[in-house]
Amino acid sequence: MIIHHPLLGPRDASEFVYLGDASLMNRPNPKSETAADDFYSYQYLRDNPMGEHRELWYHEQGDRSWLVVTRNTLTHDITKVELARDVARAQK
Amino acid sequence: MSLIDTTKTLNFTFNGKAYQGFEGDTLASALLRNKVRIVGRSFKYHRPRGIMGAGSEEPNALVEIHGAGTCEPNRRATTIKLFEGLDARSQNHMGTLNFDALAINDFMHPFLASGFYYKTFMWPKAFWEKLYEPVIRRAAGLGTLSKAVDPDSYDKGFLHCDVLIIGAGPAGLQSALNLGLGGKHIILADDDFRMGGRLLSETYEIDAAPALTWVEQTLKTLESLPNVRLMPRTAIYGVYDHGIYGGLETTTDKIGIAKPRHILWRIYANSSILAAGATERPIAFANNDRPGVMLASAVRSYKNRFGIELENTALLTNNDDGLRTDAAHIFDTRNGDYVMDVGGRKGVRSVTLNTGENVAANHLAVSGGWNPNVHLTCHKRGRPKWDEALSCFVPDTHTLPSDMSVIGAANGKFSTHGAFMDANDICEKLGVKASELPQTEDAPVKISAFWHVKGTKRAWVDFQNDVTAKDITLAHQEGFSSVEHVKRYTTLGMATDQGKTSNVVGLAVLADAIGQSIPETGTTIFRPPYTPVPIGAFAGTHRGQHFKPTRLTPSHKYVAENSATFIEAGYWKRSQWLAREGEKGWRDSVDREVLMTRNSVGICDVTTLGKIDVQGRDAGKFLNKVYVNTFSTLKVGKCRYGLMLREDGIAMDDGTTARLSETHFVMTTTTAKAGPVFRHLEYVRQCLYPDMDVHLISTTDQWAQYSVAGPNSRKLLEKIVDPKFDISNEAFPYMACGEITICGGIRARLFRLSFSGELAYEISVPARYGDTLIREMMHQGEAFDAVLYGTEALGVMRIEKGHAAGNELNGTTTANALGLGGFVSKKKDCIGKVLSQREGLVSEEALQMVGFIPVNPKDKLTNGAHFIPKGTAPSPETDHGYMSSVAWSPMLKTYIGLGFLKNGQNRLGEVIQASHLMGNSHVDVTVVSPHFFDPKGERLRA
């Protein structure tokens, strides 16, 4: 696979480390009354979609950017690649 | 006009017998030239087999080439370019090729039908492992592995191009010509050593001249273009995501020359053109596997390309293309003529017609029509569609890999004119002006499907795996109707040729048995590799010590000079112990290293520990998030031990972090977790807290770091550290840190840390000074009898102190379990805090780390032993925990151990049994505090 890094252009997937569902970026509020349940869902429950999936990839053999890659799990087509930091800031 | 140079003779041997061929021959053509008919034995029935095809589809002529370590089994004789000195042998026979003892299987065939193993070797159960399996294993398989080390070299390479063209027949050459002249960067790959495809084997004309003239001119033009790379002998074996293709180049079959035998190419292409041509298929009739029964196209290849006349040839065809073959007798199924049987066990002698007539013949050319080579269109789950008029599967443009186009015979355009048309069309689509269409033949496809002559005798469908039409109908009778099930039950198409000649015929036989059409019956999925790829090619140069990188510490040379025994820690090599003369075993060395360190001073290289520079205004705040304890309050010039959790509450790593300034921390990690921790920190920084002002960089390789431990460590360092830096206990107490200079101005960092429990320091210098520093310290240390110690002594001393290490931070333990529950700050959140409070992790029954000593001082403790209450039998119900680390303590003169015990902190003094079932050792141990040595920590504050 080839991932189009927003800063570095097309890079081979072997340069990256895969983490998983980008929902991991939405860390629950530890002060909430429901924190225990929230963290349980956050840590252990994942959607497993057939089709579009937003996921975290780390450019370990490169510039160490964490990326949010939108990939179709059926066709492996990658439709969007963003810097995770930009995504995290936009979510705030 | 053949493509053989009869002036260049090549000597080779087959099964030890000497033969001669010519330059331009394949091993197969050279064997036919020498009238060698039997070239192998079939997989299951050990029937004599001859050459059937002329290309990579060949199912029968599998040979071993070379010997011992260089031996390569299962090579198709049809794809081996003949060379001087080739040594080839046939496979799969017990005894000689002519008299194979296992040919008895052929007479046992009524018992060896599909599913034979499943049905027969069920009972008695105990026989499977002891009798059946070993016997079957010995009989199964084709070639054999030498098991010797392969001395050949293999390589890997990467290529990029605008367009990858797969196949150099008329369609591939014409598109390469267009695109090459149009300035595109192209790669043209073909698995043959000579480009031209079918044009090499037929007698077509192009522009009123022999087709070979056009091929040669085209290749000449292509060779002159710098933007074109021609890759003969390169099989494209796989299509992967996003325009990545796998190619196997057989650079040479010669050995003993300084050249890799195979190169595995990873080709990145913006788009690809599949011009892989088509493969002729056989027709199933009784004994159609006899040596001498060949594909009609192969008969023409051997005649036209290799100049070999196969004497007395008969032809069986169901289409016009087959009629191009020169034959003494022609049987056209469309006229109601077909072959019922073949006479001659070790080679065709006669053919029996449906009329009952016997016709003498030595060869039988068979044409059952052509299958487009759609394999590569299916590697990304594409499914071909059935074309009724052509009687074959053609690529379905809707399911092609997005960047691939298919042209020529691979696309069902079987005439040369059709191939040229397709090539010009695709080039226009790619924005390149096509050149003028060469004038050539445009014969229409005239075929009437004919698959299988029904009869009582066995008719072969899959030659390589010995699957007959009967096996397929039997599978259907037994309830297998899905083609995927039939394939696995009968092994149809599962041999090394992946059913190139057999799949469609097999499908037709199955469709007939079910009573439905071929498209209703379906097709199986093609997966990479298209042709077999040697494991050596996948390994490339990554073998032996090059399998993975080796990281050496700055002291490596020095400790090697001092008889260090090295241990691998990830990619690092660390000294495990350093033997001295007279020491009988590793324990002698380790005990001495511990005692000398605890009595005076020892030095150990700890460069391999991960070092991460953390800088920024929010560095302290950031560390509060990743460590359970607080770092924002750490004073400048101080170090602190920190424990890091995963978000699920399990301990991830630990280490000490020093604060060099308000905005600058230096973190250390364990050796093993240096990479994962750095990745985790970047994740926390970029994905969770993107607005913190903090930056990270790994400095593990930039600093050489040594632990200097023991009561004389300060005295030694005072000889190294420049005098203007006061390192007295008052000025530089336990857990102090600072940037200093040593040896007259060399930049260094000093940390007063202790893993050993002694008065101890860690000193780091830029890596280039590492070798000098350890030599200088050992030189200055002579006055104190300073010792080098390795990871074993390091381990003994940390166990004596009850410090957790990798064995304890094993991915299942919590802060509480490690006895570090008190470290978890109540005042702040950190990664893993919420989930670390889960009921099961904090209950009284949860495991806690404690120490163990044997009740009988002579008893040895064993790592991995489980704790069982005395008087009960070991079982999962009575399991109270496990031993994680053990060592012989030279200080306490006993074995000591660390381990995890249910509610351990409240069971100090209890005697429990440490049982190791694999070693059958059961030792009574007393539960004690894990702080075995100097529990008050007086030595490290001295």
Side-chain angles (χ1 to χ4, degrees):
Chain A
M1 292 204 295
I2 293 171
I3 294 174
H4 288 260
H5 191 299
L7 304 176
L8 301 172
R11 315 295 311 180
D12 195 284
S14 61
E15 295 174 6
F16 293 81
V17 173
Y18 178 77
L19 180 65
D21 194 334
S23 70
L24 281 169
M25 295 173 68
N26 311 318
R27 190 170 184 263
N29 177 5
K31 288 179 185 153
S32 157
E33 279 179 19
T34 57
D37 283 344
D38 296 346
F39 269 88
Y40 161 73
S41 312
Y42 167 74
Q43 180 67 24
Y44 293 111
L45 305 183
R46 301 272 194 285
D47 289 335
N48 185 19
M50 183 177 81
E52 221 168 63
H53 187 231
R54 294 177 79 236
E55 51 199 27
L56 285 164
W57 291 73
Y58 177 55
H59 198 200
E60 186 153 80
Q61 306 297 325
D63 74 338
R64 313 196 311 266
S65 285
W66 278 95
L67 305 179
V68 177
V69 175
T70 307
R71 183 179 64 102
N72 187 310
T73 56
L74 198 63
T75 63
H76 294 186
D77 284 342
I78 292 175
T79 46
K80 200 174 185 184
V81 184
E82 304 154 277
L83 288 175
R85 199 166 188 175
D86 292 346
V87 174
R89 280 186 171 146
Q91 280 174 357
K92 296 238 162 186
Chain B
M1 169 186 149
S2 78
L3 294 170
I4 295 296
D5 184 350
T6 49
T7 64
K8 286 184 191 158
T9 317
L10 299 171
N11 296 292
F12 71 101
T13 61
F14 180 65
N15 286 339
K17 196 173 165 195
Y19 296 99
Q20 285 188 334
F22 299 117
E23 181 70 35
D25 262 330
T26 60
L27 173 60
S29 68
L31 287 170
L32 285 173
R33 191 182 297 289
N34 286 284
K35 304 199 186 306
V36 176
R37 299 199 87 179
I38 307 175
V39 295
R41 288 275 172 171
S42 76
F43 180 62
K44 194 156 105 181
Y45 300 119
H46 292 260
R47 285 166 67 96
R49 288 283 169 81
I51 292 157
M52 176 171 142
S56 64
E57 77 284 358
E58 174 62 40
N60 289 341
L62 298 182
V63 297
E64 287 177 0
I65 60 171
H66 304 307
T70 56
C71 175
E72 200 181 343
N74 295 341
R75 282 289 299 268
R76 287 146 296 169
T78 50
T79 63
I80 298 169
K81 187 176 190 292
L82 193 70
F83 58 91
E84 177 68 29
L86 169 63
D87 166 26
R89 293 172 306 282
S90 55
Q91 303 182 151
N92 206 37
H93 44 87
M94 193 182 272
T96 68
L97 177 60
N98 251 321
F99 299 98
D100 177 2
L102 285 174
I104 185 80
N105 284 4
D106 197 25
F107 300 100
M108 307 262 289
H109 71 84
F111 310 102
L112 292 170
S114 51
F116 162 68
Y117 293 136
Y118 308 127
K119 292 165 187 163
T120 312
F121 297 114
M122 300 290 289
W123 184 92
K125 209 177 160 196
F127 273 35
W128 175 252
E129 225 171 88
K130 294 201 170 69
L131 178 67
Y132 298 147
E133 198 191 1
V135 170
I136 292 168
R137 282 214 184 280
R138 204 174 56 200
L142 290 163
T144 49
L145 290 172
S146 69
K147 295 182 184 173
V149 174
D150 185 346
D152 295 336
S153 66
Y154 300 87
D155 209 348
K156 293 189 211 181
F158 297 81
L159 293 171
H160 297 77
C161 62
D162 293 326
V163 187
L164 168 67
I165 302 168
I166 304 158
L173 285 173
Q174 175 73 0
S175 43
L177 188 66
N178 286 336
L179 296 171
L181 292 171
K184 297 272 186 193
H185 284 268
I186 62 164
I187 291 172
L188 176 61
D190 194 290
D191 61 358
D192 203 328
F193 56 85
R194 182 139 195 165
M195 290 189 161
R198 278 309 293 171
L199 295 180
L200 306 179
S201 293
E202 305 289 359
T203 52
Y204 301 148
E205 291 199 333
I206 295 175
D207 292 335
L212 282 177
T213 313
W214 180 85
V215 170
E216 271 159 25
Q217 277 169 356
T218 305
L219 285 171
K220 212 169 161 187
T221 309
L222 290 173
E223 277 161 13
S224 72
L225 297 172
N227 51 325
V228 174
R229 182 177 179 127
L230 298 179
M231 299 184 73
R233 305 187 83 174
T234 303
I236 302 300
Y237 65 81
V239 181
Y240 303 94
D241 291 315
H242 306 157
I244 300 175
Y245 297 79
L248 176 73
E249 181 177 357
T250 303
T251 27
T252 178
D253 283 322
K254 293 177 194 166
I255 50 173
I257 56 173
K259 197 175 177 185
R261 203 155 149 183
H262 297 285
I263 301 175
L264 196 76
W265 294 103
R266 185 190 277 226
I267 302 170
Y268 297 79
N270 288 335
S271 61
S272 69
I273 297 175
L274 182 67
T279 302
E280 198 168 27
R281 60 199 178 212
I283 292 172
F285 51 86
N287 293 314
N288 60 335
D289 65 327
R290 291 303 189 203
V293 181
M294 298 169 75
L295 294 172
S297 57
V299 170
R300 297 201 297 280
S301 290
Y302 291 118
K303 177 176 192 295
N304 299 323
R305 176 173 172 177
F306 299 103
I308 300 166
E309 290 282 353
L310 296 170
E311 63 195 18
N312 203 7
T313 300
L315 170 72
L316 173 66
T317 183
N318 66 357
N319 64 90
D320 273 9
D321 186 70
L323 297 174
R324 297 180 196 278
T325 319
D326 283 341
H329 312 279
I330 295 173
F331 315 117
D332 191 326
T333 60
R334 294 170 296 179
N335 302 333
D337 299 334
Y338 49 90
V339 172
M340 290 297 289
D341 200 351
V342 175
R345 214 175 84 77
K346 290 182 177 174
V348 176
R349 281 202 301 269
S350 66
V351 293
T352 309
L353 301 182
N354 52 322
T355 57
E357 190 189 346
N358 264 318
V359 177
N362 293 107
H363 296 89
L364 177 59
V366 179
S367 176
W370 292 78
N371 289 326
N373 289 328
V374 298
H375 309 72
L376 296 182
T377 67
C378 302
H379 285 183
K380 290 186 70 190
R381 306 289 289 186
R383 292 287 185 131
K385 60 180 186 205
W386 183 253
D387 187 312
E388 193 60 41
L390 299 175
S391 284
C392 63
F393 282 102
V394 295
D396 183 347
T397 44
H398 300 293
T399 64
L400 286 180
S402 55
D403 37 25
M404 179 186 278
S405 316
V406 190
I407 62 170
N411 194 30
K413 304 286 175 60
F414 290 116
S415 77
T416 313
H417 175 74
F420 286 150
M421 289 271 285
D422 261 10
N424 275 12
D425 286 352
I426 186 63
C427 295
E428 300 274 353
K429 272 187 204 144
L430 290 169
V432 172
K433 200 173 151 20
S435 58
E436 205 177 315
L437 265 188
Q439 295 303 305
T440 184
E441 62 90 26
D442 190 18
V445 174
K446 286 189 181 164
I447 182 169
S448 176
F450 188 94
W451 307 103
H452 172 206
V453 180
K454 288 181 189 156
T456 51
K457 292 184 178 171
R458 285 172 296 161
W460 264 259
V461 176
D462 185 328
F463 294 73
Q464 198 166 100
N465 261 356
D466 263 341
V467 180
T468 64
K470 260 189 193 168
D471 291 322
I472 297 169
T473 48
L474 178 67
H476 172 250
Q477 281 164 20
E478 292 181 358
F480 295 94
S481 53
S482 154
V483 62
E484 294 290 348
H485 292 158
V486 170
K487 171 181 166 179
R488 283 156 182 83
Y489 190 57
T490 62
T491 72
L492 171 75
M494 291 174 72
T496 64
D497 65 349
Q498 282 205 20
K500 287 186 182 70
T501 53
S502 64
N503 275 345
V504 176
V505 180
L507 202 59
V509 172
L510 178 63
D512 187 45
I514 300 173
Q516 63 185 21
S517 70
I518 289 175
E520 282 169 330
T521 310
T523 178
T524 56
I525 297 175
F526 294 106
R527 296 186 177 84
Y530 172 66
T531 50
V533 181
I535 297 290
F538 282 114
T541 55
H542 296 190
R543 49 193 281 183
Q545 65 164 341
H546 300 296
F547 180 65
K548 54 184 172 61
T550 305
R551 299 175 83 181
L552 301 181
T553 65
S555 70
H556 187 84
K557 203 167 159 233
Y558 180 69
V559 294
E561 287 164 15
N562 286 277
S563 315
T565 296
F566 292 101
I567 184 169
E568 289 186 7
Y571 293 151
W572 291 105
K573 283 194 190 297
R574 301 188 70 180
S575 48
Q576 196 172 7
W577 66 83
L578 300 98
R580 285 189 184 174
E581 218 164 299
E583 288 174 343
K584 289 190 188 74
W586 65 275
R587 262 284 307 284
D588 287 357
S589 309
V590 174
D591 289 357
R592 169 183 53 74
E593 289 168 21
V594 171
L595 289 170
M596 288 177 74
T597 301
R598 291 221 188 276
N599 289 334
S600 180
V601 58
I603 295 173
C604 180
D605 192 331
V606 293
T607 303
T608 62
L609 295 182
K611 306 177 206 76
I612 299 169
D613 218 55
V614 183
Q615 296 198 41
R617 280 193 303 275
D618 295 324
K621 221 166 101 186
F622 176 76
L623 292 175
N624 285 352
K625 278 290 174 194
V626 296
Y627 278 131
V628 297
N629 43 339
T630 307
F631 277 79
S632 55
T633 57
L634 182 66
K635 291 196 167 55
V636 172
K638 289 285 184 188
C639 309
R640 184 167 285 168
Y641 172 82
L643 178 70
M644 218 176 263
L645 303 182
R646 310 190 305 218
E647 191 68 274
D648 64 359
I650 301 295
M652 177 162 73
D653 200 51
D654 69 348
T656 52
T657 288
R659 189 167 204 170
L660 297 180
S661 82
E662 279 301 320
T663 58
H664 187 188
F665 291 81
V666 174
M667 172 189 283
T668 64
T669 72
T670 60
T671 300
K673 288 287 173 65
V677 165
F678 190 46
R679 185 187 310 157
H680 171 71
L681 298 187
E682 284 289 8
Y683 163 74
V684 173
R685 184 179 82 91
Q686 295 176 42
C687 300
L688 301 182
Y689 304 104
D691 290 325
M692 280 193 186
D693 179 23
V694 60
H695 289 273
L696 309 167
I697 194 156
S698 165
T699 60
T700 305
D701 292 353
Q702 279 66 35
W703 293 88
Q705 192 150 322
Y706 299 106
S707 166
V708 184
N712 284 324
S713 57
R714 185 186 294 124
K715 283 182 197 153
L716 193 160
L717 280 175
E718 278 167 350
K719 291 171 178 270
I720 301 284
V721 174
D722 288 344
K724 66 176 169 180
F725 297 98
D726 182 0
I727 59 167
S728 68
N729 198 30
E730 295 70 35
F732 203 83
Y734 180 55
M735 285 296 189
C737 70
E739 292 184 282
I740 58 167
T741 60
I742 62 170
C743 303
I746 294 170
R747 182 183 170 212
R749 288 170 177 171
L750 190 65
F751 311 88
R752 188 162 163 197
L753 303 170
S754 179
F755 199 43
S756 59
E758 296 301 320
L759 165 66
Y761 300 81
E762 287 186 15
I763 183 166
S764 63
V765 287
R768 64 185 181 281
Y769 294 115
D771 178 68
T772 311
L773 177 59
I774 195 161
R775 287 174 196 274
E776 179 62 14
M777 285 196 296
M778 288 305 290
H779 174 64
Q780 297 292 345
E782 278 169 17
F784 311 104
D785 204 10
V787 67
L788 293 168
Y789 67 95
T791 55
E792 288 295 332
L794 185 86
V796 170
M797 290 191 278
R798 70 99 189 163
I799 294 169
E800 287 179 334
K801 287 299 293 178
H803 290 312
N807 291 13
E808 285 71 39
L809 295 159
N810 58 15
T812 69
T813 51
T814 62
N816 276 330
L818 293 163
L820 299 170
F823 267 63
V824 185
S825 167
K826 306 264 185 304
K827 293 182 193 153
K828 66 169 186 82
D829 170 52
C830 72
I831 304 290
K833 183 174 172 182
V834 171
L835 291 180
S836 73
Q837 302 305 313
R838 282 178 290 171
E839 205 180 324
L841 298 181
V842 295
S843 80
E844 281 207 347
E845 283 297 285
L847 297 172
Q848 291 173 344
M849 190 175 93
V850 281
F852 301 88
I853 50 171
V855 172
N856 179 349
K858 283 183 183 161
D859 281 344
K860 191 181 169 186
L861 298 184
T862 312
N863 214 351
H866 280 250
F867 301 122
I868 312 293
K870 275 182 71 69
T872 58
S875 76
E877 290 73 33
T878 58
D879 183 2
H880 281 217
Y882 61 94
M883 192 88 83
S884 53
S885 295
V886 300
W888 166 260
S889 168
M891 301 307 292
L892 305 173
K893 305 277 184 256
T894 174
Y895 272 94
I896 55 174
L898 297 176
F900 295 93
L901 184 66
K902 282 182 182 174
N903 196 21
Q905 292 291 347
N906 294 318
R907 294 170 72 172
L908 301 184
E910 188 179 324
V911 172
I912 196 164
Q913 184 173 291
S915 290
H916 196 265
L917 296 182
M918 278 173 72
N920 199 25
S921 94
H922 304 276
V923 176
D924 285 349
V925 293
T926 309
V927 182
V928 296
S929 155
H931 310 296
F932 296 98
F933 180 70
D934 185 28
K936 289 185 184 154
E938 285 158 354
R939 296 170 74 97
L940 58 84
R941 293 193 170 77

